[in-house]
Amino acid sequence: MSGVEQQDNNMDKITNRFEDGAEDAELGQALESFKQCVDAWSDAAYSRPRTVEQTVRRRSWRLAVGWALGCVLVAGSVSGGLFERQHQIELKQRANRERAAEQQKQVQQQQARAQVTDEDLLSDVDSDVSRQVPSAMEPLAQMMSVDETK
Amino acid sequence: MRILEAAVNSGAVRASTWVMAAGTALKAMTMPTAGDIAAEEFSRVVERHRPQIFRFLLSSTRDVDLAETLTQECFLKAHRNWSSFRGESSAMTWLMRIAINLQKDHWRNRRMQFWRTTRTNSVDLDEASEWLPSGESSVEQQLLARERVKQVWTAVKGLSERQRTVFLLRYVEEQELSEIATATGLSEGTVKAHLSRAVGRVRLELGGKR
């Protein structure tokens, strides 16, 4: 028997075994049930809602959350900056007001001081004037000065 | 073209001469080209064979997501090479050949990435066996059938890649041996041998658990 013939015989044996297997009732039932199972699973999996949509939805949800957080962050930074700027302006204004008040106070003090000096001056003048001898008393004053020389 | 069609549809109230002129232009533009015909033909092939390709890949991998991905890749590849399909075999056999090669490539790449080998999304055998339709059989018969299906899944899991492919093509896709031979690139004799070993393994599993 040649090698090719022997191979054919082996193949026939295998085929016969396979056909015997197909005739096996229990095996046949098991294979049929297996096919039904695969069909049912495949049909269910094939007609299920695609995960792509879920992914897109999840992605869009994440995107929305990201945007919202970003917006909150930007708004916070901007409002923080504005608040800080406003605070600085208020501080400056308060300092200016205080400085102005100080200056005004100094002016008032100077004015008050100047006022006091004038009054003093006037009183001095008054006293000087009061010490001057009126012309009507001139002869008497001369007599007093003669007596003093004597 | 769609814009033109929409324009024609929305222009129903306009002067009839304008519509006629537009209709003439539309007729001239809708003459199908060879590319249009090929695209239509391909879309019909996709519609007809997609569930079968998906089913084969699902039964091979027991992973719904992976089966979907590989099905997409299969039809993408088929679309790219559609012009080179000469019809020497049926479209289904051609597509199945692409799917088998993609599956092989996937497992080869997966083996290369050793850290991925531990991670698999394949469902376990119990879950895979739960999809048996109840029909009109009794609860006992259902349980028995489920047990048998689980045993077949166990046997299939233990088969080599080729044996599994041949077995699934024969008993799930119900293909002829010649078709299996064309799809797998094996001779019919080799297909018979793989099938015999696979059936022997299934029989052993069924007999051993009695």
Side-chain angles (χ1 to χ4, degrees):
Chain A
M1 192 185 282
S2 69
V4 176
E5 281 174 349
Q6 196 174 358
Q7 200 177 352
D8 283 346
N9 279 340
N10 286 342
M11 212 46 81
D12 286 342
K13 280 178 191 170
I14 287 167
T15 312
N16 290 337
R17 270 200 327 212
F18 159 63
E19 280 167 358
D20 288 343
E23 283 167 12
D24 189 331
E26 192 180 346
L27 181 67
Q29 275 184 350
L31 292 175
E32 198 181 331
S33 300
F34 179 70
K35 181 177 164 39
Q36 286 175 355
C37 169
V38 173
D39 285 348
W41 186 20
S42 171
D43 288 346
Y46 192 77
S47 57
R48 72 171 183 164
R50 291 285 176 267
T51 49
V52 175
E53 290 172 19
Q54 289 174 356
T55 311
V56 167
R57 212 176 299 143
R58 208 178 302 141
R59 272 185 193 160
S60 63
W61 181 78
R62 281 181 187 166
L63 198 69
V65 169
W67 271 103
L69 283 173
C71 287
V72 166
L73 202 65
V74 168
S77 323
V78 168
S79 60
L82 283 173
F83 177 76
E84 183 62 27
R85 189 166 171 272
Q86 193 65 27
H87 185 64
Q88 290 292 337
I89 289 169
E90 277 179 12
L91 282 176
K92 259 184 199 172
Q93 282 177 347
R94 195 184 297 168
N96 285 341
R97 273 202 302 271
E98 283 175 359
R99 208 179 304 133
E102 188 72 24
Q103 280 176 354
Q104 203 174 355
K105 200 176 174 183
Q106 281 177 359
V107 168
Q108 279 176 354
Q109 280 177 354
Q110 279 177 358
Q111 281 176 351
R113 217 176 296 140
Q115 212 171 358
V116 169
T117 313
D118 287 349
E119 280 173 6
D120 289 344
L121 199 65
L122 279 173
S123 65
D124 286 348
V125 169
D126 285 346
S127 63
D128 286 347
V129 168
S130 66
R131 279 179 197 161
Q132 280 180 352
V133 181
S135 56
M137 297 292 284
E138 190 62 29
L140 188 60
Q142 281 178 359
M143 281 176 66
M144 281 178 75
S145 61
V146 169
D147 285 342
E148 277 174 5
T149 54
K150 282 182 181 177
Chain B
M1 200 158 70
R2 281 183 186 165
I3 294 167
L4 188 58
E5 281 174 359
V8 171
N9 291 337
S10 65
V13 292
R14 294 179 191 164
S16 59
T17 49
W18 190 90
V19 174
M20 278 173 72
T24 313
L26 180 65
K27 214 171 194 177
M29 286 182 73
T30 50
M31 283 293 283
T33 60
D36 288 342
I37 293 167
E40 270 182 35
E41 207 178 334
F42 183 74
S43 63
R44 274 201 299 274
V45 166
V46 173
E47 203 177 334
R48 193 188 304 159
H49 298 303
R50 199 184 146 97
Q52 283 170 278
I53 296 292
F54 175 73
R55 183 174 57 202
F56 167 72
L57 289 167
L58 180 67
S59 58
S60 293
T61 59
R62 283 185 290 117
D63 184 338
V64 177
D65 292 333
L66 179 60
E68 273 184 359
T69 307
L70 291 178
T71 307
Q72 293 275 4
E73 281 181 28
C74 175
F75 281 98
L76 191 66
K77 209 168 179 179
H79 182 257
R80 281 181 190 149
N81 297 299
W82 183 240
S83 57
S84 64
F85 174 61
R86 293 187 188 86
E88 287 163 357
S89 61
S90 68
M92 181 60 199
T93 308
W94 184 65
L95 288 168
M96 197 56 87
R97 188 166 192 154
I98 296 173
I100 290 166
N101 287 334
L102 277 171
Q103 192 197 341
K104 269 187 205 167
D105 289 347
H106 172 78
W107 291 118
R108 203 174 295 148
N109 293 339
R110 210 179 161 99
R111 270 200 292 274
M112 293 284 281
Q113 295 167 328
F114 64 93
W115 56 87
R116 278 175 150 191
T117 52
T118 51
R119 203 177 134 224
T120 175
N121 293 325
S122 301
V123 298
D124 61 19
L125 300 178
D126 285 326
E127 198 179 332
S129 311
E130 278 174 11
W131 288 98
L132 194 62
S134 57
E136 292 174 0
S137 54
S138 66
V139 178
E140 280 180 10
Q141 282 173 328
Q142 280 177 37
L143 283 172
L144 187 65
R146 192 168 292 177
E147 187 58 32
R148 277 182 189 150
V149 168
K150 193 182 168 186
Q151 286 165 355
V152 177
W153 273 120
T154 309
V156 168
K157 193 184 172 187
L159 295 176
S160 72
E161 196 180 297
R162 276 188 180 173
Q163 286 172 0
R164 185 167 54 240
T165 301
V166 168
F167 178 82
L168 293 172
L169 288 176
R170 181 75 186 102
Y171 290 109
V172 177
E173 301 307 323
E174 294 181 329
Q175 288 193 354
E176 295 298 323
L177 294 179
S178 58
E179 287 177 317
I180 298 171
T182 312
T184 52
L186 302 170
S187 69
E188 273 197 45
T190 314
V191 169
K192 279 181 188 174
H194 281 309
L195 202 52
S196 171
R197 286 188 198 114
V199 171
R201 183 83 186 241
V202 172
R203 188 184 279 134
L204 193 71
E205 189 69 34
L206 288 169
K209 298 283 169 68
R210 265 181 215 161

